[in-house]
Every structure is written in C-alpha cells, then in structure tokens.
Amino acid sequence: MSTLTSINARTGEPQGKPLNASTMEEIDAAVQAAAAASDTWATSDGTQRATLLRALADALEADREMLVARADLETALGPVRLNGELDRTAFQLRRFATIAESGVPFERLDDPAVAGGPPVGHPAMVRQRVPLGPVAMFAASNFPFAFSVLGGDTASALAAGCPVVVKAHPGHPGLSQRVFGLIQQVLKAQGLPAGLIGMVQGASVDVGVELIRHPLIAAGAFTGSTRGGAALQAVANARPRPIPFYGELGSINPVVALPSALAARGAELAITLAGSIALGCGQFCTNPGLIVLIDGPESDEFVAQLAKALTTQKPHPMLTAGMRTAFDAGVRQQQELGAQTLVQASGEGLAPGPKLLQVNAQRFLERSGLHDEVFGPSSLIVRAASVAEVLAVLNAVGGSLTVTLWGADEDTPDNRALVRGATAIAGRVLFAGVPTGVAVTAAQQHGGPWPASTAPMTTSVGDAALERFLRPVCLQDAPAWLLARQGVPC
C-alpha cells in the first residue's frame, strides 16, 4: 500500500507514522457517499447550509492552538501568518453562510407569460439554478487553511448545495487529517450524512486522477501549478461526460511601474515591492514575478533601490523540498536564457535567499521560457523602451491573475492603452498597492485568462465563487407547488 509522510518543513525530517494513501476502493467509497448525500443537501434551505458552515468555522477556532501548531510544523509559515489565515478561513465560511441564508443560491428570474404568438408572445418561464452535484476539491499547499480542506472552494460548494470530496495536499497531511476529524464531529452533531464532506489523500498523481475521473463527480476545483491543473483538466475533458474544471493555476502578476510614480515615491515603492516579493517566501499565487519598467533615470534609480531593499529580506524555508528544487531550477532557467542577475542571496539552511534578475523587453519577447512562473522569492525586471513595448510584454504574458499599474493616474492615451492591455490579460487590475493579498469580497475576481486559470469567467475567491457550482434551469409553465418552493430544488 502506498504511503505519505508528514515532513518538518524547517528540518526536512519525517515526523510521525506514515499515513496510508487512499486506495481506489476508498476513493470510490468517498465519492459514492458524497453522491448519496447529494439530493439531501441540494434540497436543503439556506438556514441549514448556514448552520453547517458556521459550525465548521466555530470548530476551527475552537481547535486553533493545535491546528496552528501542526500547520507550522508542516509548512514553516509561522504562527502569526497561520493565525491570520485561520481567521480568514473562518471568515470565508461565515460569509458563505450569510450568502446561503440570504437566499442567493435560490435567486430566480420570473418571466411571466405574454399572450399572443411568437416572437412577442411566450409561455410563463422561471429561470433558477440547481447544484451541480459532488465536487472534487484539490487542496493547495501554500494556504494550508484558506485553500485547503475547509477553504474557499469547500465553503462555496457547500453554500451552493454541493457535497465535497477533498483531495488533501501531501504537503500538510497531518493538518488535513486533524481538520477532517473536526468536520466529521460537526456533521455527526448536526445529524448530517458523513459523506457530505469526504477526504482522500496521497502523494501520487493517481489519487487525483482517479477522483476527477469518477463518473459521479460533477465538477472539479483546483488551486496549484499550471502543469498539474492542465493535466487534471485534460482528464475532466476526456471523461465520457466531461465536467467543468475550475483551476486556479500559475501566474506571474506583472507590476508596471511608470516613471511618474517612480519619480514621486520610488524609494517607498521599492521597499513595498521587496516585501511583496519575499512575503511567505514568495509562495503566493499573486507574487509579483514580473516588474516592467520604461528605460530612464527614474527606472535606473528604482532598480538600485529595489535591489538594496530585497537584500534585507529573510525568507523562511519553502513549503516542500520539491518546491525548493523547482524554484532553484526556475531561477537557473532565467539565467540561462540571458537574464542578468542583480540579487542572488544565498539564504540560510533550507530557506532560499531572494533573487532579482533583469532582461530587456526584446529578449523577454523572444524567449518564451522567460514567461514561466518562478514560484518563490524572486522577480524578473523587464526593461522596455516605450509604452508600446510594455504592451507587447503584457500581451506575451498571455494571462495573469493580476496586473498592477503604478502611475496611470491621468486620463491619457498611453494610460488608456495600458489599462486596456492590463484588463485583456488579468482578472484583477490594481492601481495602488501590491498584488499579494486577495480580499474575500463581493467584487473580487480571482482568475484570469490561461495560464492563470482554466475558466476565466469565474473566480475562486469572493462571493461569486458560489456561481461555479450552480447550473441554470428554465422552468416553463411550472405548477404552483414547484414555484412555491422559491428556487429551492425539490
């Protein structure tokens, strides 16, 4: 039987007994149990869904001390960051509880009958939504609470009326087991089916493939690498009945810093950006991996300021040894493709030092390998000769979760062009601040064109994440008893 091991992220040493990976039979059993709970949960009202979500948030907070200690052991993210992330996770659960309770999943569009023949006349129609069914949720490594077992995907799917089968991340198996134990206690206390929230685990890709391939799974939700997400999307599309696959993938999140912004407060922006590059050891999907500057004295001074600020950053160890290997290989590839190294700190022990490299726009455009995400505390500066070259660089990126535009404060033809270029490739465009930090709000859009995500019309963060797991249905000339349910499926 295949096993996986909990690893101390600071020492690289295994800890505790190895855990058994889920067998094909166990994966099937988890999905079957979710399917058995599907009708019950789909027909639940907003109050029942909210009660479960709030109880799950309470359970996390009640076990905070043990959860944070375990998460820190397996991720090295530190108690301050992890406590904040647990707070965010509880907030997400309660926010989706409020959304369900307020009736959002059951909203309807009533289109009364119009007498006469077509095209003006038509029967009475009501457009409402129904839950998709069991969702395969793939936990992320870099957010062991907020994008993991009880993360935003699980919360939004439950609020939509869908059971969830979580594929736990092998980077924090002990934490995942403890959270799943809390879930089972809450489900039992509320008299809900144990299969409403299931969990499978394993370091092998076979576990995830078997889960997304299962004929009773109705949708997939994934946060992780472009390579992993693309492979699972291919499996989802190759099924006899393809299913939607909502993957939030890799992103290099360009920051365009215009000369006007750098002249006004370049030193301040350099310190802010250095902190964003190294935040969480650069292991954020919104890490600013690309900095686009227009040649000139302001940019020259800013590069020097940024390099100095970055050398003071002290990243902690990366989440896993595999991620550290991939980070080193990514930086090495940029160097081999002609990028000049400006900062290459050695780091301490298992912690990598921050990296800063630079290349001109022409070389960036010519060498597609420079467009790849380097997941870790590193950023690549691209020096452009003009706004036209900046736009060409953005176009070459192809798709990103974010683009940041510093200095586009006036209504000018160039700034309009930059805004068009940014919105063409990103789900979120910032005009101040840095891209790290994704607020859970009504207007959030966490997604973007490929390779940032597989479904750029959807978001994995914010209120609209619920929409991924609901399918519209038109009821024509529906009987009174069905309309009286006010959008709650029967």
Side-chain angles (χ1 to χ4, degrees):
M1 178 178 288
S2 178
T3 61
L4 68 160
T5 304
S6 177
I7 301 295
N8 185 316
R10 290 183 175 84
T11 66
E13 296 296 322
Q15 54 188 9
K17 296 180 180 179
L19 301 170
N20 291 330
S22 299
T23 64
M24 299 302 103
E25 292 76 16
E26 288 168 337
I27 295 169
D28 177 63
V31 177
Q32 292 282 356
S38 191
D39 285 348
T40 298
W41 195 242
T43 58
S44 63
D45 61 19
T47 299
Q48 186 175 19
R49 298 178 192 180
T51 300
L52 172 61
L53 290 165
R54 291 188 179 117
L56 292 171
D58 292 344
L60 286 178
E61 291 176 334
D63 198 36
R64 176 188 297 272
E65 185 176 351
M66 293 298 296
L67 291 174
V68 168
R70 185 71 190 196
D72 185 44
L73 195 66
E74 293 184 320
T75 68
L77 292 175
V80 174
R81 150 74 191 273
L82 290 167
N83 271 291
E85 191 184 325
L86 191 149
D87 289 339
R88 170 188 164 149
T89 307
F91 173 80
Q92 289 176 160
L93 288 161
R94 294 190 177 110
R95 187 175 183 92
F96 279 108
T98 300
I99 290 170
E101 198 170 48
S102 64
V104 173
F106 316 110
E107 289 177 347
R108 306 183 308 159
L109 176 62
D110 191 6
D111 194 355
V114 175
V120 176
H122 62 77
M125 297 183 183
V126 172
R127 191 176 193 268
Q128 63 182 56
R129 298 175 297 178
V130 296
L132 292 180
V135 174
M137 198 287 281
F138 292 79
S141 61
N142 55 338
F143 284 87
F145 291 117
F147 284 81
S148 191
V149 179
L150 277 179
D153 287 336
T154 299
S156 55
L158 290 172
C162 298
V164 177
V165 180
V166 177
K167 162 61 171 66
H169 197 280
H172 45 263
L175 174 66
S176 299
Q177 287 277 355
R178 189 169 184 91
V179 172
F180 185 58
L182 296 176
I183 292 170
Q184 291 176 312
Q185 293 173 22
V186 171
L187 292 175
K188 183 177 181 179
Q190 296 197 4
L192 292 169
L196 181 57
I197 306 172
M199 192 180 83
V200 299
Q201 60 185 0
S204 167
V205 297
D206 294 341
V207 175
V209 168
E210 186 70 15
L211 178 60
I212 204 71
R213 186 183 283 159
H214 197 288
L216 294 179
I217 288 294
F222 173 89
T223 300
S225 69
T226 299
R227 180 180 177 184
L232 289 171
Q233 183 186 34
V235 174
N237 290 337
R239 290 166 39 127
R241 293 181 62 184
I243 57 173
F245 182 80
Y246 303 110
E248 187 251 279
L249 313 177
S251 182
I252 59 174
N253 305 296
V255 175
V256 179
L258 298 175
S260 59
L262 300 182
R265 50 196 186 96
E268 173 194 344
L269 291 173
I271 293 171
T272 300
L273 186 56
S276 181
I277 292 168
L279 183 66
C281 198
Q283 299 167 126
F284 281 65
C285 53
T286 51
N287 180 263
L290 195 71
I291 305 162
V292 189
L293 307 175
I294 296 177
D295 284 330
E298 299 90 352
S299 295
D300 292 340
E301 185 174 5
F302 177 73
V303 170
Q305 292 166 333
L306 178 60
K308 181 180 178 180
L310 200 58
T311 58
T312 67
Q313 297 293 322
K314 303 295 182 183
H316 55 69
M318 298 193 77
L319 292 162
T320 67
M323 289 183 184
R324 174 62 188 276
T325 298
F327 171 67
D328 292 340
V331 172
R332 189 164 55 249
Q333 174 179 274
Q334 291 182 336
Q335 294 168 330
E336 291 170 352
L337 290 172
Q340 175 191 5
T341 303
L342 303 179
V343 175
Q344 187 163 343
S346 58
E348 298 178 5
L350 297 177
K355 309 291 190 293
L356 184 66
L357 297 94
Q358 180 173 263
V359 70
N360 62 47
Q362 192 59 42
R363 177 156 292 187
F364 179 84
L365 295 171
E366 291 172 351
R367 304 193 176 185
S368 62
L370 292 172
H371 309 168
D372 295 341
E373 178 188 29
V374 176
F375 194 65
S378 176
S379 197
L380 175 66
I381 295 172
V382 176
R383 300 294 292 262
S386 63
V387 168
E389 274 201 337
V390 172
L391 292 169
V393 168
L394 293 180
N395 184 62
V397 168
S400 182
L401 293 171
T402 71
V403 171
T404 302
L405 299 176
W406 287 342
D409 303 315
E410 304 296 329
D411 185 357
T412 68
D414 279 349
N415 286 345
R416 288 191 177 197
L418 287 169
V419 171
R420 286 195 301 272
T423 55
I425 71 164
R428 178 163 58 108
V429 179
L430 297 81
F431 297 89
V434 288
T436 42
V438 185
V440 183
T441 67
Q444 185 59 264
Q445 178 59 31
H446 193 58
W450 181 269
S453 68
T454 62
M457 292 75 68
T458 68
T459 180
S460 66
V461 178
D463 297 1
L466 178 91
E467 310 294 333
R468 297 172 297 167
F469 307 117
L470 293 166
R471 179 176 61 82
V473 174
C474 174
L475 304 179
Q476 182 171 316
D477 289 331
W481 70 265
L482 186 55
L483 296 177
R485 295 186 62 82
Q486 296 293 305
V488 178
C490 62

